[in-house]
Amino acid sequence: MLMENSSTVLGSKGLIRKHEFVRIIIQCLYSLGYKNSASCLESESGISYKSMDFELLESQLLCGNWDGCIDTLNAIKDLMDETRASALFLVFKQCLLECLNRGDDSMALAVLRKEVSASRLGKDKAQNLAQSILCYKDVQFGEIEDNVVRELRKKLLAELEKLLPPPTMLPERRLEHLVETAVTAQLDSCMYHNTLDAVSLYEDHCCGRVQIPTETVQILKEHKNEVWFVQFSNNGDYLASSSSDCTAIIWQVLQDGKLMLLHTLRSHQNPVSFVAWSPDDTKLLTCGNGEVLKLWDVETGTCKHTFGDDGFIVSSCAWFPDSKRLVCGSSDPEKGIYMWDCDGNEIKAWKGMRMPKILDLAVTPDGENLISIFSDKEIRIFNLGTSTERVISEEHPITSLSVSGDSKFFIVNLNSQEIHMWDVAGKWDSPLKYMGHKQHKYVIRSCFGGLNSSFIASGSENSQVYIWNRQDTRPIEVLSGHDMTVNSVSWNPRRPQMLASASDDQTIRIWGPSLSKKIQANKLN
């Protein structure tokens, strides 16, 4: 059998050793079940999937040559001392089990005194082996059959495979890992990637604008005044909007992607500036800067409860993951933050003269943290489990807050015309910054969206909608259509190509992929 030259390289840059490349192909063929093809490739190339050291170890282990196993493990050069000790420990444990199984107690003790001591396993591992001898003797098990011994040896071999380093043993499914890494790198560098469709390996991946919402597909005109806020439900089946016309509207997303008015919520006496869906999407909260907080039943559109009184000024509200508890913040410093159940029973409150006014707040979807914006420029992250608190100070006034669906990140809009993204865990010393939109004097709300929340969208005072890929500080798209300030945007969490925007022009625009570009892309494919 002709042995391949181990120094031969492949690829235009000469970075790939041919014998390594062939070896992982052989491994892949075996893992896919193509044993005959794998065997033929081994024979034709002269390259074995298993290294000589591993083949030797395998033969020694399966026939119970424990001295040989120990010598082979000690001879493997790239094996770290700690890993070598773990491998030897597993071998000794099997050896002792088989000695005791044969009733050869003296041999077991000899192995423990001589071999284990010479192998420098460490005090803890040596004691563990000594205790295993006592344990095996106390169990008083009958003689283990030969087929069971063979299975135990095969299991030991599989455990050793995980410990042995390359090139003695290849990491599991190495070729699949390399291809997946390459594909992931291409997806990460694709500014427009926004689909769950499988990626072809036949060509380098690159999405176009067709993957993200860039074209108005519907205009909702039922509000009679400025629309201040929009938010899709968690299941993506509904959209809620609120307006200075003192109403909120629940829209239903139909199968064809069109939206239909479901309920108009008429109970507020003042403009409604904020809505919040319960995690189970059965309830909706509405509030306004000069309004009380109201709880609505989504199915019937009826008001179930009113929280607070006419003097209670609510700035924002949020739900806990159980859909049974809610929290709201007040711009009145004496009111602070309240936590209620759905029947209006107060669970907890943070209030008092020293409590700053709350401009916005959110509960992370995992329910672990309460994030609030207070005193214009400060962000408080309060861990509800440990009661620990972290404060982030911004240089410019903050107007709004939004949390990612995975609870790891949040974004804040600043009136300095920047959006800052922070990590909830507090590992970052400084935020990622996104620029390009216009914001000086109004409350503008942004959101995460798209596949894996890869994008950020925001309204703007120049009547446009801006979209960023989270990896880039400059917008990848600027959407035109509204006539006045765009106050709020919301990305459908179940339809990554659907975006809603609310404007002072009294309309809500629903954005989708450009149909003309989609048709063109389909023709090219």
Side-chain angles (χ1 to χ4, degrees):
M1 181 167 64
L2 179 65
M3 179 65 70
E4 285 278 1
N5 187 343
S6 63
S7 63
T8 304
V9 293
L10 301 174
S12 60
K13 298 180 181 179
L15 299 176
I16 304 169
R17 294 189 180 97
K18 184 177 179 180
H19 75 281
E20 292 185 355
F21 188 65
V22 173
R23 191 177 170 200
I24 65 171
I25 291 176
I26 295 169
Q27 180 201 41
C28 183
L29 289 172
Y30 274 123
S31 67
L32 291 173
Y34 303 131
K35 295 182 180 179
N36 291 338
S37 298
S39 179
C40 286
L41 183 53
E42 283 182 307
S43 177
E44 185 175 355
S45 66
I47 298 172
S48 175
Y49 158 50
K50 297 176 181 178
S51 67
M52 293 179 64
D53 282 340
F54 184 77
E55 285 187 328
L56 178 60
L57 181 66
E58 181 180 34
S59 64
Q60 292 167 337
L61 192 153
L62 294 179
C63 69
N65 180 1
W66 304 114
D67 289 337
C69 287
I70 294 166
D71 290 340
T72 301
L73 286 173
N74 283 323
I76 297 175
K77 296 179 181 179
D78 297 318
L79 198 58
M80 301 290 289
D81 289 343
E82 187 175 342
T83 308
R84 193 190 312 276
S86 298
L88 289 170
F89 172 78
L90 294 174
V91 170
F92 283 131
K93 196 169 185 178
Q94 179 68 24
C95 175
L96 292 174
L97 172 63
E98 293 190 22
C99 287
L100 295 172
N101 179 54
R102 296 193 303 268
D104 197 343
D105 295 3
S106 60
M107 176 61 74
L109 289 172
V111 169
L112 187 62
R113 288 170 182 162
K114 182 181 177 182
E115 300 291 349
V116 173
S117 299
S119 298
R120 300 176 182 175
L121 291 186
K123 185 177 180 181
D124 291 342
K125 284 185 171 62
Q127 288 180 344
N128 191 310
L129 289 171
Q131 289 172 356
S132 67
I133 290 180
L134 297 175
C135 178
Y136 291 145
K137 289 185 69 64
D138 290 342
V139 170
Q140 294 293 322
F141 49 72
E143 185 174 341
I144 303 175
E145 296 179 359
D146 289 344
N147 63 323
V148 176
V149 171
R150 284 195 296 271
E151 288 304 314
L152 287 174
R153 289 177 180 177
K154 288 181 181 179
K155 185 178 179 181
L156 170 59
L157 185 65
E159 291 177 355
L160 291 177
E161 284 184 37
K162 298 175 183 177
L163 294 175
L164 299 178
T168 303
M169 195 65 211
L170 292 181
E172 189 177 6
R173 299 186 180 276
R174 183 60 183 166
L175 184 57
E176 289 96 321
H177 170 73
L178 290 173
V179 173
E180 191 171 56
T181 300
V183 171
T184 300
Q186 291 184 12
L187 297 182
D188 289 343
S189 64
C190 179
M191 290 293 102
Y192 290 96
H193 187 69
N194 192 33
T195 176
L196 287 170
D197 294 343
V199 176
S200 174
L201 299 180
Y202 295 148
E203 58 185 359
D204 290 342
H205 175 79
C206 183
C207 289
R209 296 178 68 233
V210 69
Q211 294 296 341
I212 65 172
T214 57
E215 189 173 279
T216 299
V217 295
Q218 190 176 2
I219 303 176
L220 309 177
K221 301 180 179 180
E222 276 71 8
H223 279 296
K224 305 307 178 186
N225 211 325
E226 298 171 352
V227 189
W228 287 353
F229 193 79
V230 283
Q231 189 175 68
F232 280 106
S233 60
N234 301 284
N235 60 16
D237 292 340
Y238 303 97
L239 175 74
S241 59
S242 64
S243 169
S244 61
D245 66 6
C246 306
T247 70
I249 295 178
I250 297 177
W251 312 82
Q252 185 173 4
V253 181
L254 304 178
Q255 286 296 109
D256 62 1
K258 294 293 184 181
L259 274 72
M260 177 187 73
L261 190 150
L262 186 63
H263 301 296
T264 300
L265 311 181
R266 306 179 190 276
S267 180
H268 287 284
Q269 303 302 310
N270 293 295
V272 184
S273 61
F274 197 87
V275 303
W277 289 94
S278 62
D280 63 8
D281 293 325
T282 63
K283 299 176 281 290
L284 184 74
L285 292 172
T286 58
C287 64
N289 290 333
E291 263 290 352
V292 292
L293 178 68
K294 290 182 178 290
L295 173 65
W296 303 82
D297 179 86
V298 172
E299 184 178 0
T300 62
T302 56
C303 183
K304 291 294 186 180
H305 196 84
T306 299
F307 300 84
D309 51 39
D310 292 338
F312 189 69
I313 304 171
V314 182
S315 59
S316 58
C317 51
W319 288 90
F320 285 88
D322 59 9
S323 295
K324 296 178 180 179
R325 295 170 297 151
L326 55 108
V327 64
C328 74
S330 175
S331 53
D332 182 346
E334 293 187 29
K335 302 294 184 181
I337 299 175
Y338 282 81
M339 186 191 301
W340 282 301
D341 65 17
C342 291
D343 296 321
N345 299 308
E346 183 181 310
I347 300 173
K348 195 170 184 177
W350 296 268
K351 58 184 178 179
M353 290 303 295
R354 295 181 60 189
M355 186 73 186
K357 63 179 182 179
I358 307 300
L359 301 178
D360 203 353
L361 57 72
V363 175
T364 53
D366 58 15
E368 293 185 5
N369 293 283
L370 171 62
I371 306 175
S372 55
I373 309 299
F374 60 91
S375 297
D376 292 339
K377 300 178 184 179
E378 290 189 328
I379 306 163
R380 185 183 77 161
I381 304 173
F382 181 72
N383 188 291
L384 295 157
T386 62
S387 295
T388 56
E389 181 178 283
R390 181 167 60 91
V391 176
I392 299 172
S393 296
E394 289 280 10
E395 293 182 2
H396 299 277
I398 304 166
T399 65
S400 63
L401 161 72
S402 181
V403 181
S404 64
D406 60 10
S407 302
K408 294 180 179 179
F409 307 97
F410 65 90
I411 48 179
V412 290
N413 279 60
L414 310 176
N415 70 1
S416 61
Q417 304 191 107
E418 289 185 353
I419 296 171
H420 289 184
M421 181 169 77
W422 293 90
D423 71 314
V424 175
K427 296 178 181 178
W428 297 359
D429 293 327
S430 59
L432 296 180
K433 300 178 180 181
Y434 305 92
M435 296 164 283
H437 66 302
K438 307 300 179 185
Q439 180 178 4
H440 292 290
K441 55 184 178 179
Y442 297 125
V443 173
I444 303 294
R445 295 185 180 276
S446 57
C447 71
F448 290 93
L451 184 68
N452 300 322
S453 297
S454 299
F455 302 95
I456 291 172
S458 178
S460 176
E461 291 177 10
N462 65 356
S463 75
Q464 294 176 315
V465 175
Y466 288 74
I467 297 176
W468 295 262
N469 184 292
R470 278 169 47 178
Q471 300 178 60
D472 197 345
T473 61
R474 308 305 301 181
I476 59 173
E477 291 293 337
V478 180
L479 314 183
S480 299
H482 285 291
D483 297 326
M484 300 176 71
T485 296
V486 180
N487 302 302
S488 174
V489 291
S490 180
W491 213 303
N492 192 311
R494 292 292 181 265
R495 295 174 182 243
Q497 298 178 347
M498 178 181 283
L499 178 71
S501 59
S503 171
D504 282 350
D505 66 11
Q506 304 184 22
T507 70
I508 300 165
R509 282 182 176 255
I510 306 301
W511 305 84
S514 172
L515 294 178
S516 59
K517 292 187 181 298
K518 196 167 188 177
I519 293 170
Q520 189 177 7
N522 289 335
K523 286 181 179 179
L524 292 174
N525 292 331

mmCIF file of all heavy atoms in Angstrom, residues 15-47:
data_model
loop_
_atom_site.group_PDB
_atom_site.id
_atom_site.type_symbol
_atom_site.label_atom_id
_atom_site.label_comp_id
_atom_site.label_asym_id
_atom_site.label_seq_id
_atom_site.Cartn_x
_atom_site.Cartn_y
_atom_site.Cartn_z
ATOM 1 N N LEU A 15 -2.320 25.891 2.714
ATOM 2 C CA LEU A 15 -2.557 25.838 4.166
ATOM 3 C C LEU A 15 -3.050 24.476 4.653
ATOM 4 O O LEU A 15 -3.136 24.246 5.857
ATOM 5 C CB LEU A 15 -3.585 26.906 4.557
ATOM 6 C CG LEU A 15 -3.204 28.362 4.260
ATOM 7 C CD1 LEU A 15 -4.358 29.293 4.613
ATOM 8 C CD2 LEU A 15 -1.952 28.751 5.053
ATOM 9 N N ILE A 16 -3.398 23.575 3.718
ATOM 10 C CA ILE A 16 -4.030 22.310 4.100
ATOM 11 C C ILE A 16 -3.088 21.147 3.806
ATOM 12 O O ILE A 16 -2.656 20.955 2.658
ATOM 13 C CB ILE A 16 -5.351 22.102 3.327
ATOM 14 C CG1 ILE A 16 -6.283 23.300 3.549
ATOM 15 C CG2 ILE A 16 -6.023 20.806 3.752
ATOM 16 C CD1 ILE A 16 -7.479 23.299 2.618
ATOM 17 N N ARG A 17 -2.749 20.378 4.827
ATOM 18 C CA ARG A 17 -1.935 19.173 4.630
ATOM 19 C C ARG A 17 -2.814 18.076 4.024
ATOM 20 O O ARG A 17 -3.868 17.750 4.576
ATOM 21 C CB ARG A 17 -1.341 18.706 5.956
ATOM 22 C CG ARG A 17 -0.334 19.671 6.569
ATOM 23 C CD ARG A 17 0.347 19.020 7.766
ATOM 24 N NE ARG A 17 1.307 19.895 8.371
ATOM 25 C CZ ARG A 17 1.059 20.654 9.451
ATOM 26 N NH1 ARG A 17 -0.131 20.621 10.016
ATOM 27 N NH2 ARG A 17 1.998 21.426 9.960
ATOM 28 N N LYS A 18 -2.326 17.528 2.921
ATOM 29 C CA LYS A 18 -3.158 16.565 2.189
ATOM 30 C C LYS A 18 -3.505 15.342 3.028
ATOM 31 O O LYS A 18 -4.657 14.879 3.029
ATOM 32 C CB LYS A 18 -2.443 16.128 0.909
ATOM 33 C CG LYS A 18 -3.286 15.199 0.036
ATOM 34 C CD LYS A 18 -2.572 14.862 -1.257
ATOM 35 C CE LYS A 18 -3.408 13.926 -2.118
ATOM 36 N NZ LYS A 18 -2.724 13.577 -3.381
ATOM 37 N N HIS A 19 -2.540 14.798 3.786
ATOM 38 C CA HIS A 19 -2.823 13.577 4.553
ATOM 39 C C HIS A 19 -3.846 13.838 5.659
ATOM 40 O O HIS A 19 -4.654 12.970 5.977
ATOM 41 C CB HIS A 19 -1.527 12.974 5.125
ATOM 42 C CG HIS A 19 -0.967 13.712 6.300
ATOM 43 N ND1 HIS A 19 -0.242 14.880 6.170
ATOM 44 C CD2 HIS A 19 -1.038 13.444 7.642
ATOM 45 C CE1 HIS A 19 0.120 15.298 7.373
ATOM 46 N NE2 HIS A 19 -0.337 14.451 8.277
ATOM 47 N N GLU A 20 -3.834 15.051 6.248
ATOM 48 C CA GLU A 20 -4.846 15.393 7.251
ATOM 49 C C GLU A 20 -6.224 15.515 6.615
ATOM 50 O O GLU A 20 -7.236 15.072 7.178
ATOM 51 C CB GLU A 20 -4.474 16.702 7.956
ATOM 52 C CG GLU A 20 -3.249 16.615 8.840
ATOM 53 C CD GLU A 20 -2.984 17.899 9.601
ATOM 54 O OE1 GLU A 20 -3.710 18.898 9.372
ATOM 55 O OE2 GLU A 20 -2.057 17.906 10.422
ATOM 56 N N PHE A 21 -6.253 16.143 5.429
ATOM 57 C CA PHE A 21 -7.505 16.335 4.721
ATOM 58 C C PHE A 21 -8.143 14.990 4.373
ATOM 59 O O PHE A 21 -9.342 14.775 4.589
ATOM 60 C CB PHE A 21 -7.240 17.156 3.451
ATOM 61 C CG PHE A 21 -8.475 17.598 2.723
ATOM 62 C CD1 PHE A 21 -9.368 18.479 3.306
ATOM 63 C CD2 PHE A 21 -8.739 17.128 1.441
ATOM 64 C CE1 PHE A 21 -10.497 18.887 2.636
ATOM 65 C CE2 PHE A 21 -9.876 17.537 0.761
ATOM 66 C CZ PHE A 21 -10.759 18.423 1.361
ATOM 67 N N VAL A 22 -7.331 14.083 3.847
ATOM 68 C CA VAL A 22 -7.843 12.755 3.487
ATOM 69 C C VAL A 22 -8.308 12.008 4.734
ATOM 70 O O VAL A 22 -9.348 11.325 4.718
ATOM 71 C CB VAL A 22 -6.757 11.944 2.746
ATOM 72 C CG1 VAL A 22 -7.216 10.512 2.509
ATOM 73 C CG2 VAL A 22 -6.415 12.611 1.414
ATOM 74 N N ARG A 23 -7.572 12.166 5.801
ATOM 75 C CA ARG A 23 -7.908 11.438 7.035
ATOM 76 C C ARG A 23 -9.267 11.864 7.594
ATOM 77 O O ARG A 23 -10.059 11.018 8.032
ATOM 78 C CB ARG A 23 -6.807 11.656 8.075
ATOM 79 C CG ARG A 23 -6.926 10.732 9.283
ATOM 80 C CD ARG A 23 -5.781 10.944 10.239
ATOM 81 N NE ARG A 23 -6.005 10.244 11.488
ATOM 82 C CZ ARG A 23 -5.399 10.537 12.630
ATOM 83 N NH1 ARG A 23 -4.501 11.505 12.669
ATOM 84 N NH2 ARG A 23 -5.670 9.863 13.730
ATOM 85 N N ILE A 24 -9.544 13.164 7.565
ATOM 86 C CA ILE A 24 -10.848 13.593 8.102
ATOM 87 C C ILE A 24 -11.974 13.230 7.134
ATOM 88 O O ILE A 24 -13.123 13.050 7.562
ATOM 89 C CB ILE A 24 -10.874 15.096 8.452
ATOM 90 C CG1 ILE A 24 -10.712 15.976 7.214
ATOM 91 C CG2 ILE A 24 -9.844 15.431 9.510
ATOM 92 C CD1 ILE A 24 -10.939 17.454 7.496
ATOM 93 N N ILE A 25 -11.673 13.099 5.834
ATOM 94 C CA ILE A 25 -12.686 12.607 4.885
ATOM 95 C C ILE A 25 -13.029 11.160 5.213
ATOM 96 O O ILE A 25 -14.202 10.763 5.212
ATOM 97 C CB ILE A 25 -12.190 12.745 3.433
ATOM 98 C CG1 ILE A 25 -12.109 14.217 3.029
ATOM 99 C CG2 ILE A 25 -13.126 11.990 2.473
ATOM 100 C CD1 ILE A 25 -11.530 14.443 1.645
ATOM 101 N N ILE A 26 -11.999 10.364 5.508
ATOM 102 C CA ILE A 26 -12.226 8.961 5.882
ATOM 103 C C ILE A 26 -13.084 8.890 7.143
ATOM 104 O O ILE A 26 -14.031 8.102 7.232
ATOM 105 C CB ILE A 26 -10.882 8.237 6.090
ATOM 106 C CG1 ILE A 26 -10.107 8.168 4.769
ATOM 107 C CG2 ILE A 26 -11.106 6.826 6.654
ATOM 108 C CD1 ILE A 26 -8.662 7.719 4.921
ATOM 109 N N GLN A 27 -12.733 9.723 8.139
ATOM 110 C CA GLN A 27 -13.532 9.751 9.367
ATOM 111 C C GLN A 27 -14.984 10.097 9.071
ATOM 112 O O GLN A 27 -15.917 9.482 9.613
ATOM 113 C CB GLN A 27 -12.955 10.781 10.347
ATOM 114 C CG GLN A 27 -13.734 10.858 11.661
ATOM 115 C CD GLN A 27 -13.510 12.168 12.404
ATOM 116 O OE1 GLN A 27 -13.472 13.236 11.798
ATOM 117 N NE2 GLN A 27 -13.356 12.085 13.715
ATOM 118 N N CYS A 28 -15.179 11.088 8.185
ATOM 119 C CA CYS A 28 -16.534 11.517 7.841
ATOM 120 C C CYS A 28 -17.315 10.394 7.172
ATOM 121 O O CYS A 28 -18.490 10.153 7.474
ATOM 122 C CB CYS A 28 -16.468 12.743 6.924
ATOM 123 S SG CYS A 28 -18.077 13.417 6.485
ATOM 124 N N LEU A 29 -16.651 9.667 6.265
ATOM 125 C CA LEU A 29 -17.323 8.551 5.589
ATOM 126 C C LEU A 29 -17.754 7.483 6.590
ATOM 127 O O LEU A 29 -18.862 6.937 6.502
ATOM 128 C CB LEU A 29 -16.390 7.951 4.534
ATOM 129 C CG LEU A 29 -16.144 8.812 3.286
ATOM 130 C CD1 LEU A 29 -15.050 8.194 2.428
ATOM 131 C CD2 LEU A 29 -17.435 8.977 2.482
ATOM 132 N N TYR A 30 -16.885 7.172 7.542
ATOM 133 C CA TYR A 30 -17.255 6.197 8.578
ATOM 134 C C TYR A 30 -18.449 6.698 9.397
ATOM 135 O O TYR A 30 -19.390 5.943 9.679
ATOM 136 C CB TYR A 30 -16.067 5.919 9.498
ATOM 137 C CG TYR A 30 -15.128 4.842 9.007
ATOM 138 C CD1 TYR A 30 -13.770 5.106 8.811
ATOM 139 C CD2 TYR A 30 -15.576 3.539 8.761
ATOM 140 C CE1 TYR A 30 -12.891 4.122 8.358
ATOM 141 C CE2 TYR A 30 -14.704 2.548 8.318
ATOM 142 C CZ TYR A 30 -13.368 2.846 8.110
ATOM 143 O OH TYR A 30 -12.522 1.864 7.670
ATOM 144 N N SER A 31 -18.426 7.972 9.805
ATOM 145 C CA SER A 31 -19.496 8.505 10.650
ATOM 146 C C SER A 31 -20.830 8.565 9.901
ATOM 147 O O SER A 31 -21.891 8.489 10.510
ATOM 148 C CB SER A 31 -19.125 9.896 11.167
ATOM 149 O OG SER A 31 -19.084 10.844 10.105
ATOM 150 N N LEU A 32 -20.770 8.710 8.552
ATOM 151 C CA LEU A 32 -21.994 8.734 7.747
ATOM 152 C C LEU A 32 -22.495 7.330 7.415
ATOM 153 O O LEU A 32 -23.560 7.166 6.817
ATOM 154 C CB LEU A 32 -21.755 9.508 6.447
ATOM 155 C CG LEU A 32 -21.536 11.021 6.584
ATOM 156 C CD1 LEU A 32 -21.151 11.623 5.241
ATOM 157 C CD2 LEU A 32 -22.776 11.708 7.139
ATOM 158 N N GLY A 33 -21.717 6.323 7.782
ATOM 159 C CA GLY A 33 -22.122 4.935 7.547
ATOM 160 C C GLY A 33 -21.621 4.337 6.261
ATOM 161 O O GLY A 33 -21.985 3.214 5.896
ATOM 162 N N TYR A 34 -20.734 5.064 5.528
ATOM 163 C CA TYR A 34 -20.185 4.554 4.271
ATOM 164 C C TYR A 34 -18.878 3.800 4.553
ATOM 165 O O TYR A 34 -17.785 4.232 4.185
ATOM 166 C CB TYR A 34 -19.959 5.702 3.297
ATOM 167 C CG TYR A 34 -21.196 6.509 2.998
ATOM 168 C CD1 TYR A 34 -21.178 7.904 3.063
ATOM 169 C CD2 TYR A 34 -22.396 5.882 2.657
ATOM 170 C CE1 TYR A 34 -22.320 8.645 2.793
ATOM 171 C CE2 TYR A 34 -23.539 6.610 2.392
ATOM 172 C CZ TYR A 34 -23.499 7.995 2.459
ATOM 173 O OH TYR A 34 -24.630 8.724 2.195
ATOM 174 N N LYS A 35 -18.995 2.653 5.204
ATOM 175 C CA LYS A 35 -17.819 1.916 5.658
ATOM 176 C C LYS A 35 -16.979 1.379 4.506
ATOM 177 O O LYS A 35 -15.746 1.407 4.560
ATOM 178 C CB LYS A 35 -18.258 0.772 6.583
ATOM 179 C CG LYS A 35 -18.902 1.247 7.875
ATOM 180 C CD LYS A 35 -19.286 0.083 8.776
ATOM 181 C CE LYS A 35 -19.930 0.580 10.063
ATOM 182 N NZ LYS A 35 -20.327 -0.554 10.940
ATOM 183 N N ASN A 36 -17.628 0.863 3.471
ATOM 184 C CA ASN A 36 -16.879 0.321 2.339
ATOM 185 C C ASN A 36 -16.091 1.416 1.628
ATOM 186 O O ASN A 36 -14.926 1.225 1.256
ATOM 187 C CB ASN A 36 -17.828 -0.356 1.356
ATOM 188 C CG ASN A 36 -18.428 -1.639 1.918
ATOM 189 O OD1 ASN A 36 -17.864 -2.235 2.837
ATOM 190 N ND2 ASN A 36 -19.563 -2.056 1.383
ATOM 191 N N SER A 37 -16.728 2.569 1.427
ATOM 192 C CA SER A 37 -16.048 3.686 0.767
ATOM 193 C C SER A 37 -14.874 4.172 1.600
ATOM 194 O O SER A 37 -13.792 4.480 1.077
ATOM 195 C CB SER A 37 -17.034 4.842 0.531
ATOM 196 O OG SER A 37 -18.078 4.454 -0.327
ATOM 197 N N ALA A 38 -15.084 4.244 2.923
ATOM 198 C CA ALA A 38 -14.020 4.683 3.823
ATOM 199 C C ALA A 38 -12.837 3.715 3.769
ATOM 200 O O ALA A 38 -11.669 4.115 3.691
ATOM 201 C CB ALA A 38 -14.548 4.806 5.249
ATOM 202 N N SER A 39 -13.147 2.416 3.772
ATOM 203 C CA SER A 39 -12.099 1.392 3.733
ATOM 204 C C SER A 39 -11.330 1.445 2.415
ATOM 205 O O SER A 39 -10.094 1.315 2.394
ATOM 206 C CB SER A 39 -12.720 0.015 3.935
ATOM 207 O OG SER A 39 -11.732 -0.989 3.884
ATOM 208 N N CYS A 40 -12.051 1.672 1.314
ATOM 209 C CA CYS A 40 -11.396 1.779 0.004
ATOM 210 C C CYS A 40 -10.465 2.982 -0.054
ATOM 211 O O CYS A 40 -9.354 2.905 -0.605
ATOM 212 C CB CYS A 40 -12.448 1.884 -1.098
ATOM 213 S SG CYS A 40 -13.302 0.347 -1.455
ATOM 214 N N LEU A 41 -10.901 4.095 0.522
ATOM 215 C CA LEU A 41 -10.072 5.300 0.521
ATOM 216 C C LEU A 41 -8.827 5.088 1.377
ATOM 217 O O LEU A 41 -7.733 5.552 1.023
ATOM 218 C CB LEU A 41 -10.885 6.500 1.017
ATOM 219 C CG LEU A 41 -10.171 7.851 1.016
ATOM 220 C CD1 LEU A 41 -9.578 8.169 -0.355
ATOM 221 C CD2 LEU A 41 -11.127 8.969 1.457
ATOM 222 N N GLU A 42 -8.978 4.397 2.506
ATOM 223 C CA GLU A 42 -7.816 4.078 3.336
ATOM 224 C C GLU A 42 -6.807 3.244 2.548
ATOM 225 O O GLU A 42 -5.598 3.502 2.573
ATOM 226 C CB GLU A 42 -8.255 3.318 4.595
ATOM 227 C CG GLU A 42 -8.883 4.191 5.667
ATOM 228 C CD GLU A 42 -9.254 3.406 6.910
ATOM 229 O OE1 GLU A 42 -9.964 2.385 6.778
ATOM 230 O OE2 GLU A 42 -8.832 3.803 8.018
ATOM 231 N N SER A 43 -7.336 2.255 1.829
ATOM 232 C CA SER A 43 -6.459 1.363 1.065
ATOM 233 C C SER A 43 -5.775 2.095 -0.087
ATOM 234 O O SER A 43 -4.570 1.937 -0.317
ATOM 235 C CB SER A 43 -7.287 0.191 0.522
ATOM 236 O OG SER A 43 -6.484 -0.654 -0.273
ATOM 237 N N GLU A 44 -6.521 2.925 -0.814
ATOM 238 C CA GLU A 44 -5.974 3.620 -1.977
ATOM 239 C C GLU A 44 -4.978 4.707 -1.591
ATOM 240 O O GLU A 44 -3.966 4.910 -2.257
ATOM 241 C CB GLU A 44 -7.113 4.220 -2.804
ATOM 242 C CG GLU A 44 -6.643 4.857 -4.106
ATOM 243 C CD GLU A 44 -7.803 5.335 -4.956
ATOM 244 O OE1 GLU A 44 -8.992 5.082 -4.582
ATOM 245 O OE2 GLU A 44 -7.554 5.970 -5.992
ATOM 246 N N SER A 45 -5.251 5.406 -0.496
ATOM 247 C CA SER A 45 -4.394 6.534 -0.102
ATOM 248 C C SER A 45 -3.238 6.115 0.783
ATOM 249 O O SER A 45 -2.237 6.839 0.895
ATOM 250 C CB SER A 45 -5.233 7.582 0.645
ATOM 251 O OG SER A 45 -5.708 7.063 1.879
ATOM 252 N N GLY A 46 -3.367 4.968 1.428
ATOM 253 C CA GLY A 46 -2.349 4.559 2.383
ATOM 254 C C GLY A 46 -2.434 5.323 3.690
ATOM 255 O O GLY A 46 -1.499 5.315 4.493
ATOM 256 N N ILE A 47 -3.558 5.981 3.898
ATOM 257 C CA ILE A 47 -3.764 6.774 5.122
ATOM 258 C C ILE A 47 -4.855 6.114 5.941
ATOM 259 O O ILE A 47 -5.949 5.828 5.441
ATOM 260 C CB ILE A 47 -4.166 8.224 4.775
ATOM 261 C CG1 ILE A 47 -3.045 8.907 3.993
ATOM 262 C CG2 ILE A 47 -4.497 9.021 6.037
ATOM 263 C CD1 ILE A 47 -3.425 10.269 3.451
#
